[in-house]
């Protein structure tokens, strides 16, 4: 299961985590509000840190509004007793500055700060674009971060994961998970994280080169012959200019992953413009087959859609852009069209997911766009790597047609209903808890057994798990494509207070971890049309709405989890 969730990669967790280094966002992030943000955090060997938070006026992170520059000190403490697999930390702020990226933003933000903290900006000293201004300074006691809803409590919960990629054991991707931000902006300063934000990637990984041994099959695809240990596949310098590469010059060795090399070879061979041949290079340690390409190709091949070299770990264009940015040169991410949320088929979690109040789970959804019905499978675990199951839930219901969100750019709003549910206890503790409840509160009284599923629809849900049926949720979704070309489905972030978005005004304005479409669910072109203007959302099937819907119905479960021994 874990191998499937992580695309075959072996995952290890550092305890205590080694956070020294430079960590960056992998794309445009959405916080509740909504706020559109990218992050660039540096942690130094002396426990100090410098963090950039770049804010934008839209969901594509192409129009920066202002940047927060945060300096301080962090000290890792003990393993978290709230969230297994995480490490608790304390931090101290030294200085917080804001730099505005337009005169309009400078004027508006200066006025907002003065309304929040009267007299903070002296009369006749209006803020101007490009100049750093203190919002917090340890020396002198200046503090007015409330104007921008600022808090760094995310540093109180830390987790570092290492992914050892398949087919390339020497390739390592490191991700830094920091604590979640409260969905109610007014509560951010008072909230201690109990879940995680989207991970930051170690910046060195975004610049890393790829390597792997190649098979005879790939050589044959290039028109060559084996054996693999002696073969080199070369893109000829005589191939001439390429329209998106510029002029081809001297050959340069470029190590690639197995899958990427195969895709590269197949795609470029199909173009019919590039002569490919093989050479022999000894049988020693360096006698491996590699793909050689021109120097001009080296900097562009990893990001061009024709190359087939893209993957979510190393073809991170956003990572490279953010890595090079600062408060005077905020990152401008490549513009991307909003995808219409119109889905069908099956969608699954990519990793073991964490929810507030010690809830670990994976999700699997099936959408039937012919009748707007859905099915959801929720697999709950007691550990942060999802190896020890506690119970599973199966739910089904119906959903509405999608409507473009006027509040969250790039989002599509849906209404989901759940009217049928089954529960399967997977360990003795859960079965015992369910057997405590009598009458019509949760299935057949006293009949729960480990591994045996029961329908709880006739008892209107299960009181023990905090589930009431029927249930309605107001959801928001968006779709993206990762650097491997796979479709990702994001659904609304669960409220930090454990409540349910059961009214339109409680609809989420940020997202949780995305689901990925199963390979068996072949996408249809009409389902994934792009919407350059961010409007006109199709109403096929809401990709992953069930996830949110059911989880909203589980608010009681989140508070009952300590009884189940899931902490």
């Amino acid at each position: 299961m874990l191998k499937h969730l992580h695309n075959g990669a072996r995952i290890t967790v550092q305890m205590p985590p080694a956070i020294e280094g430079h960590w960056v966002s992998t794309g445009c992030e959405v916080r509740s509000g909504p706020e559109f943000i990218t992050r660039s955090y540096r942690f130094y060997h002396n426990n100090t840190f410098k963090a950039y938070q770049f804010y934008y006026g839209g969901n594509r992170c192409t129009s920066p509004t202002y940047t927060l520059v945060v300096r301080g000190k962090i000290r890792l403490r003990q393993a978290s007793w709230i969230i297994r697999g995480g490490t608790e930390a304390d931090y101290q702020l030294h200085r917080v500055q804001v730099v505005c990226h337009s005169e309009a933003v400078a004027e508006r933000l200066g006025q907002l700060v003065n309304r929040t903290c009267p007299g903070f900006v002296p009369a006749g000293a209006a803020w101007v674009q490009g100049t750093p201004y203190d919002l917090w300074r340890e020396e002198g006691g200046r503090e007015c971060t409330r104007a921008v809803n600022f808090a760094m409590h995310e540093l109180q919960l830390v987790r570092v994961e290492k992914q050892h990629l398949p087919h390339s054991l020497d390739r390592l991707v490191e991700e830094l998970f920091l604590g979640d931000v409260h969905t109610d902006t007014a509560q951010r300063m008072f909230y201690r994280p109990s879940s995680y934000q989207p991970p930051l990637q170690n910046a060195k990984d975004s610049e890393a080169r790829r390597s792997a041994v190649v098979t005879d099959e790939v050589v044959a695809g290039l028109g060559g012959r084996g054996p693999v240990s002696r073969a080199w596949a070369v893109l000829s310098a005589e191939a001439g200019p390429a329209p998106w590469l510029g002029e081809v010059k001297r050959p340069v060795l470029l190590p690639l992953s197995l899958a990427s090399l195969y895709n590269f070879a197949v795609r470029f061979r199909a173009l019919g413009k590039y002569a490919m041949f093989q050479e022999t290079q000894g049988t020693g340690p360096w006698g491996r087959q590699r793909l050689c390409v021109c120097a001009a190709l080296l900097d562009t091949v990893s990001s061009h859609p024709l190359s087939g070299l893209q993957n979510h770990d190393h073809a991170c264009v956003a990572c490279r852009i953010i890595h090079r940015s600062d408060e005077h040169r905020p990152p401008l991410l490549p513009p991307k069209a909003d995808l219409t949320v119109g889905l069908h088929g099956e969608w699954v979690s990519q990793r073991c997911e964490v929810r507030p109040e010690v809830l670990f789970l994976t999700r699997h959804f099936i959408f039937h766009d012919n009748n707007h019905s859905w099915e959801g499978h929720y697999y709950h675990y007691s550990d942060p790597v999802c190896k020890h199951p506690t119970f599973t839930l199966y739910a089904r219901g119906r959903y509405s047609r999608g409507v473009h969100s006027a509040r969250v750019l790039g989002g599509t709003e849906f209404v989901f209903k759940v009217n049928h549910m089954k529960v399967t206890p997977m360990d003795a503790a859960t079965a015992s808890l369910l057997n405590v409840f009598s009458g019509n509160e949760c299935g057949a009284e006293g009949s729960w057994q480990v591994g045996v599923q029961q329908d709880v629809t006739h008892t209107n849900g299960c009181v023990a798990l905090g589930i009431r049926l029927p249930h309605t949720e107001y959801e928001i979704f968006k779709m993206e494509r990762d650097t491997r070309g796979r479709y990702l489905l994001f659904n609304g972030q669960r409220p930090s207070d454990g409540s349910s978005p059961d009214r339109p005004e409680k609809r989420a304005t940020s997202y949780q971890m995305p689901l990925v479409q199963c390979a068996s669910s072949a996408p249809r072109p009409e389902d994934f049309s792009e919407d350059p203007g961010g409007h006109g959302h199709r109403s096929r099937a809401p990709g992953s709405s069930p996830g949110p819907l059911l989880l909203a119905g589980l608010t009681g479960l989140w508070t009952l989890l300590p009884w189940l021994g899931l902490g």
Side-chain angles (χ1 to χ4, degrees), residues 48-191:
T48 61
F49 68 86
K50 182 178 182 181
Y52 290 114
Q53 295 184 352
F54 305 101
Y55 290 83
Y56 301 82
N59 63 305
R60 298 165 189 170
C61 289
T62 57
S63 54
T65 53
Y66 64 90
T67 297
L68 295 181
V69 186
V70 186
R71 295 175 176 86
K73 197 164 195 174
I74 183 173
R75 187 172 299 278
L76 301 181
R77 297 300 184 184
Q78 68 278 356
S80 174
W81 61 272
I82 299 176
I83 301 297
R84 290 183 59 187
T87 298
E88 295 180 356
D90 296 329
Y91 74 93
Q92 180 181 0
L93 294 180
H94 295 163
R95 194 173 189 180
V96 179
Q97 292 181 302
V98 60
V99 178
C100 301
H101 301 305
S102 73
E103 294 295 347
V105 171
E107 180 181 2
R108 175 172 55 83
L109 202 54
Q111 293 173 351
L112 180 60
V113 168
N114 250 359
R115 285 198 301 270
T116 308
C117 305
F120 195 85
V121 180
W127 284 3
V128 296
Q129 174 185 351
T131 301
Y133 297 98
D134 287 333
L135 289 178
W136 175 301
R137 190 164 187 171
E138 192 174 30
E139 304 169 2
R142 290 176 62 85
E143 194 279 314
C144 191
T145 57
R146 288 173 293 167
V148 291
N149 295 314
F150 170 79
M152 280 299 284
H153 293 344
E154 60 191 279
L155 296 181
Q156 293 177 331
L157 183 63
V158 179
R159 176 181 172 92
V160 171
E161 287 189 1
K162 293 185 176 183
Q163 295 188 35
H164 304 264
L165 300 182
H167 309 301
S168 183
L169 297 180
D170 59 336
R171 285 298 304 119
L172 181 66
V173 174
E174 291 182 289
E175 291 181 315
L176 172 65
F177 293 80
L178 297 176
D180 62 326
V181 177
H182 201 288
T183 52
D184 182 352
T185 55
Q187 298 298 318
R188 287 183 182 176
M189 281 299 299
F190 314 103
Y191 177 68

Side-chain angles (χ1 to χ4, degrees), residues 483-501:
T483 51
R484 297 172 60 186
R486 302 178 305 171
Y487 289 98
L488 304 178
L489 186 65
F490 297 75
N491 64 275
Q493 184 179 356
R494 307 312 305 164
S496 300
D497 63 3
S499 64
S500 168

Side-chain angles (χ1 to χ4, degrees), residues 196-479:
Y196 298 105
Q197 295 180 75
L200 303 175
Q201 187 176 113
N202 196 315
K204 68 183 179 183
D205 292 325
S206 66
E207 304 294 336
R209 292 160 65 92
R210 308 154 183 80
S211 62
V213 178
V214 185
T215 65
D216 289 302
E217 184 179 4
V218 176
V219 181
L222 292 171
R225 296 185 295 273
V228 169
S229 61
R230 299 172 62 104
W232 287 66
V234 180
L235 176 60
S236 172
E238 284 72 37
W244 54 273
L245 292 179
E247 185 177 355
V248 175
K249 297 180 180 179
R250 59 184 177 82
V252 175
L253 177 63
L254 178 64
L256 305 169
S257 71
L258 175 61
S260 296
L261 174 55
Y262 182 78
N263 290 335
F264 180 91
V266 170
R267 290 175 188 241
F268 273 84
R269 189 164 181 256
L271 292 178
K273 295 182 179 179
Y274 301 93
M276 298 194 183
F277 57 93
Q278 65 174 11
E279 293 180 346
T280 300
Q281 179 71 23
T283 58
W286 299 102
R288 290 177 157 187
Q289 173 187 319
R290 301 290 192 208
L291 179 67
C292 288
V293 297
C294 64
L297 178 60
L298 191 59
D299 292 329
T300 56
V301 70
S302 63
S303 61
H304 194 276
L306 291 178
S307 69
L309 296 181
Q310 299 182 6
N311 60 66
H312 69 287
D313 299 311
H314 308 295
C316 181
V317 176
C319 297
R320 296 194 293 271
I321 295 174
I322 298 169
H323 172 259
R324 299 191 298 261
S325 301
D326 58 30
E327 67 269 38
H328 301 294
R329 297 171 299 171
L332 304 179
L333 301 192
K336 296 189 299 184
D338 293 332
L339 290 178
T340 296
V341 179
L343 308 180
H344 73 291
E346 302 187 39
W347 301 78
V348 296
S349 299
Q350 298 184 86
R351 63 173 77 238
C352 186
E353 300 176 357
V354 184
R355 294 291 183 275
E357 307 300 335
V358 204
L359 177 61
F360 306 104
L361 80 160
T362 60
R363 300 173 289 157
H364 173 200
F365 299 111
I366 306 171
F367 297 93
H368 308 283
D369 58 346
N370 59 328
N371 61 3
H372 279 216
S373 64
W374 64 272
E375 302 172 61
H377 299 265
Y378 305 82
Y379 304 95
H380 295 78
Y381 302 85
S382 63
D383 64 295
V385 292
C386 291
K387 286 188 175 181
H388 304 290
T390 54
F391 64 94
T392 64
L393 298 174
Y394 166 81
R396 70 169 185 254
R398 303 183 68 84
Y399 59 86
S400 70
R401 293 179 177 273
V403 178
H404 169 69
S405 174
R407 186 178 181 188
V408 183
L409 293 175
T412 303
E413 297 177 350
F414 295 91
V415 178
F416 277 81
K417 295 185 177 181
V418 56
N419 48 35
H420 188 93
M421 185 173 295
K422 297 178 181 180
V423 178
T424 307
M426 300 300 293
D427 66 358
T430 305
S432 298
L433 173 64
L434 296 176
N435 281 324
V436 168
F437 289 80
S438 59
N440 60 353
E441 295 178 313
C442 186
E445 179 179 353
S447 62
W448 291 97
Q449 301 179 45
V450 175
V452 179
Q453 185 182 75
Q454 277 201 49
D455 193 321
V456 297
T457 306
H458 65 284
T459 56
N460 297 320
C462 180
V463 173
L465 299 180
I467 302 169
R468 299 286 188 181
L469 296 180
H471 182 74
T472 300
E473 281 207 358
Y474 293 83
E475 258 298 345
I476 187 167
F477 295 89
K478 72 170 180 175
M479 275 189 59

